[in-house]
Amino acid sequence: MTKVNKPTPKKTIDTSAVQTANPAANLVSNPFLDNDFYGRMRDYTERDAAIAKELRAIAECGAGKANPDPRHAPSLAAISAIVKKGVSLADMFKSIVAGTEKGLWEPWLAEFGFQVRAVNYGQTGPRNACLMLDIGAGSKANASFAKAGIANWRSRVTHDCAEVAIENPNDKTPFTSCAIFYLDPIER
């Protein structure tokens, strides 16, 4: 007598509860956004180790996308009035959007730790500038935020930015980390 194996019926999963759940509840929150937590952590952790821990938390959480336009990002408000090379950061953003003083954009932004990654230099239309802010340990932004008294600026900036890029070092590239903002973005 031969035994016949019957296939077991597949279980169906009720996904209605999953679809109605709040998708934001599944996201990991960055504990370094809390000033008290950051202060306690800095009391017992060396500077480089603290930055590494914060960057690890940023990598896990990703970009918050709260205010991806740097003109309106609350995390950049503390440094937007600081003047370097005779111009404030807020005025630099206005010049980029207006399309004036094009040759000075990159040196101006470099003073604050920003890089222009892509931009529309055309006379008409939006600039569609992609700006990267270095959030690494050696960032030029460290001094500006320290002067403003914001210790956990990396977490605050990445909460506002559109994207976060963190690359681990290997034989060919060093450790890099940046927050990406879009100035005068394309409507999607």
Side-chain angles (χ1 to χ4, degrees), residues 14-44:
D14 182 18
T15 59
S16 61
V18 174
Q19 293 172 350
T20 59
N22 183 1
N26 296 333
L27 297 177
V28 178
S29 65
N30 185 346
F32 292 93
L33 287 170
D34 181 12
N35 291 336
D36 293 333
F37 173 81
Y38 189 87
R40 287 191 312 272
M41 184 269 312
R42 284 291 291 135
D43 287 343
Y44 63 86

Side-chain angles (χ1 to χ4, degrees), residues 38-182:
Y38 189 87
R40 287 191 312 272
M41 184 269 312
R42 284 291 291 135
D43 287 343
Y44 63 86
T45 308
E46 293 180 13
R47 179 183 181 271
D48 289 341
I51 292 171
K53 286 181 181 183
E54 186 176 12
L55 288 174
R56 198 172 309 120
I58 288 169
E60 288 176 8
C61 298
K65 300 179 184 180
N67 291 291
D69 189 331
R71 294 173 293 177
H72 310 295
S75 60
L76 299 177
I79 65 167
S80 64
I82 295 174
V83 176
K84 291 190 177 189
K85 288 195 172 188
V87 180
S88 70
L89 186 60
D91 290 340
M92 287 183 216
F93 293 148
K94 289 176 188 174
S95 295
I96 292 172
V97 171
T100 59
E101 302 174 293
K102 294 176 189 157
L104 299 175
W105 294 348
E106 292 191 36
W108 276 343
L109 290 172
E111 289 294 313
F112 288 92
F114 278 97
Q115 282 185 341
V116 178
R117 298 300 293 177
V119 66
N120 174 14
Y121 287 100
Q123 294 294 325
T124 60
R127 294 299 128 223
N128 299 325
C130 175
L131 306 176
M132 288 181 23
L133 176 61
D134 181 12
I135 58 172
S139 174
K140 289 185 179 182
N142 279 332
S144 300
F145 282 104
K147 193 174 187 179
I150 303 171
N152 59 344
W153 67 271
R154 290 173 184 82
S155 294
R156 297 195 174 284
V157 165
T158 55
H159 179 70
D160 285 339
C161 75
E163 296 177 43
V164 174
I166 298 177
E167 297 177 12
N168 291 324
N170 58 31
D171 294 340
K172 297 178 183 175
T173 60
F175 184 81
T176 57
S177 53
C178 60
I180 301 170
F181 288 90
Y182 294 107

